[in-house]
Amino acid sequence: MEKAADTRQRIIDAVLRIIGAEGIAALSNRRIAKEAQVSLGSVTYHFTTQHELLRESLLHFVAQETQHFTELAENCARADGLDIPGAAEMVETVAGGTAFDSRHIAPFELYIQAGRDERLRAAAAECFAAYDSLARGILRRLGLPDPDRLAGAVVALVFGQQLRRLATGSPAEDLVDTLLLLTGAAAGAGPAPCGAAGRPPSGNRPG
């Protein structure tokens, strides 16, 4: 017999897939139950309102993402020590290896919905606080000055570049080049002349 936690997880995963594929307007308890392959009663049992569904789905996604990024940063630091090019390379690996499937599009929809629905804003703020905390930790390991102030800018940059990548199909390397420019300037080194693997800036790459 399936555990209640497993059923709840299947429902959350289904919500993220539906939102990413068709938007929040496509959500209904019947649709969620079909996508999750659970009974209609299971949806209403675990989540009494759609607001609760959206909130928990957003928080779950961000918790998984921050855990994944934290583990990558810790592994990198243990292996070779974390420096700016290494951190940028890690970002490129994550961004380049992340297909914008429906599950990864869903958070953008949820953040926009938080702009319309005040009840979701606390959850959205909690999510960005988690990203900010992760960024601060990485920036401190890199030895950059004023990581508390820089963290918000890094998170905003990553989100903006990922949104641009989603909308235009631009490559993950663009995100890395921009991160190198920002962190290089913050370190007092000026704009970085090349990417994580000795790559020329995007404007100078051969076409």
Side-chain angles (χ1 to χ4, degrees):
M1 184 175 180
E2 187 174 59
K3 295 180 180 178
D6 294 333
T7 301
R8 184 182 177 89
Q9 185 59 56
R10 287 172 65 180
I11 293 170
I12 287 174
D13 289 340
V15 168
L16 291 170
R17 288 195 301 271
I18 294 169
I19 292 174
E22 301 179 43
I24 291 175
L27 282 180
S28 70
N29 286 348
R30 192 172 301 278
R31 175 71 187 280
I32 294 166
K34 181 179 179 180
E35 180 73 22
Q37 297 184 334
V38 300
S39 69
L40 183 60
S42 292
V43 177
T44 55
Y45 173 78
H46 287 283
F47 302 96
T48 56
T49 65
Q50 188 179 87
H51 165 255
E52 183 184 359
L53 256 175
L54 296 178
R55 177 183 182 278
E56 293 303 312
S57 297
L58 179 58
L59 291 174
H60 172 76
F61 178 86
V62 171
Q64 283 195 322
E65 291 287 282
T66 53
Q67 179 182 354
H68 177 53
F69 295 153
T70 300
E71 289 172 355
L72 282 174
E74 289 174 350
N75 290 339
C76 182
R78 281 196 296 266
D80 303 307
L82 193 63
D83 56 13
I84 291 175
E89 189 170 5
M90 179 184 72
V91 171
E92 180 177 5
T93 299
V94 172
T98 299
F100 273 120
D101 56 18
S102 58
R103 191 173 184 277
H104 285 85
I105 295 172
F108 290 98
E109 292 272 358
L110 287 166
Y111 289 131
I112 291 171
Q113 183 65 19
R116 303 187 185 105
D117 185 348
E118 291 184 0
R119 295 172 299 173
L120 281 175
R121 289 181 189 171
E126 187 174 339
C127 292
F128 277 98
Y131 285 129
D132 287 348
S133 177
L134 174 60
R136 279 194 298 272
I138 293 174
L139 292 169
R140 287 193 185 101
R141 290 180 186 176
L142 293 173
L144 292 177
D146 205 358
D148 291 339
R149 185 177 181 183
L150 186 58
V154 169
V155 171
L157 184 151
V158 171
F159 267 84
Q161 285 283 32
Q162 287 292 75
L163 183 59
R164 180 175 180 174
R165 180 174 165 235
L166 168 64
T168 66
S170 61
E173 287 88 346
D174 288 353
L175 168 60
V176 177
D177 289 336
T178 310
L179 275 173
L180 286 168
L181 287 170
L182 177 63
T183 53
C194 62
R199 181 182 61 250
S202 58
N204 297 326
R205 292 183 204 139

